Amino acid sequence: MTQSATRAAPYFLLALSLGACAAAEPPPTAMPPSAAPESAVPSGDYDIRLERGACFGRCPQYRLRLVAGRAEFSGERHVAVLESVQGPVDPAALARLLEQLRAPALARLKDVYRPGQPGCGTVATDMPSSRIDWTLDGQSRRLTLYHGCQAAPAELRALPDAIDEAGNSRRWIREGLDR
């Protein structure tokens, strides 16, 4: 053996042993996106529906349903998408919405807030209405809100927007679009 081969032998053995160690450990594998755990989509029994009604202007009219980690949207008028489509929900917004729906304050609300009904107060005319239905943890509820009811509780007035946020409905509405 030559002198340069004698000097290179330890490096060759070191490289060979490192290769053997590397071969002994399984290579790291990336989890395919479809097999990745749904990081934050809340689990549980929920079915949430929002129906936005007409107004005297260009208010978006549509139906939105949140169920099983997805949003189902069906556009009717003054929205960008006039068909039935679906997409993922925003997991963090959905978690906040489910917490909001479980709040005792919502349990104390009347079922209907319309002009002429107790709790409506002063009325602004030509406003849209929202119907909200949900089943959560085996319990069902329906609330109807005319958005012109000035005395309607803040918890109720915020609810349609919270549902829209969780369903990310803006992608299908594109507010202000006239059809």
Side-chain angles (χ1 to χ4, degrees):
M1 192 183 276
T2 66
Q3 190 175 17
S4 63
T6 306
R7 275 187 261 152
Y11 296 110
F12 176 74
L13 291 174
L14 178 63
L16 189 61
S17 66
L18 288 176
C21 289
E25 293 178 26
T29 58
M31 189 178 296
S34 61
E38 294 187 28
S39 60
V41 174
S43 61
D45 176 23
Y46 66 90
D47 187 346
I48 304 162
R49 297 167 191 250
L50 168 65
E51 186 174 332
R52 295 250 192 193
C55 70
F56 185 66
R58 296 182 299 164
C59 299
Q61 278 183 262
Y62 58 91
R63 290 184 312 276
L64 178 66
R65 180 180 184 207
L66 308 179
V67 65
R70 71 179 182 279
E72 299 172 352
F73 179 89
S74 181
E76 294 175 17
R77 291 181 60 191
H78 307 296
V79 294
V81 177
L82 293 171
E83 58 190 326
S84 295
V85 293
Q86 54 181 294
V89 297
D90 177 327
L94 178 60
R96 287 189 301 272
L97 173 62
L98 294 177
E99 184 177 315
Q100 192 174 349
L101 292 173
R102 289 182 176 113
L106 281 184
R108 292 188 292 267
L109 295 178
K110 296 173 178 42
D111 292 337
V112 178
Y113 289 84
R114 273 194 205 127
Q117 299 285 325
C120 182
T122 306
V123 177
T125 61
D126 303 326
M127 299 295 286
S129 60
S130 292
R131 189 179 84 198
I132 304 162
D133 296 278
W134 75 88
T135 300
L136 179 60
D137 304 327
Q139 302 292 316
S140 295
R141 182 83 196 265
R142 171 180 282 174
L143 297 173
T144 302
L145 169 66
Y146 175 71
H147 289 272
C149 289
Q150 302 299 307
E155 299 89 355
L156 176 57
R157 294 181 339 151
L159 196 53
D161 292 337
I163 296 169
D164 277 327
E165 182 183 348
N168 191 15
S169 62
R170 187 172 308 206
R171 61 188 152 183
W172 300 307
I173 297 169
R174 295 193 193 109
E175 294 185 34
L177 181 69
D178 187 20
R179 285 250 170 153

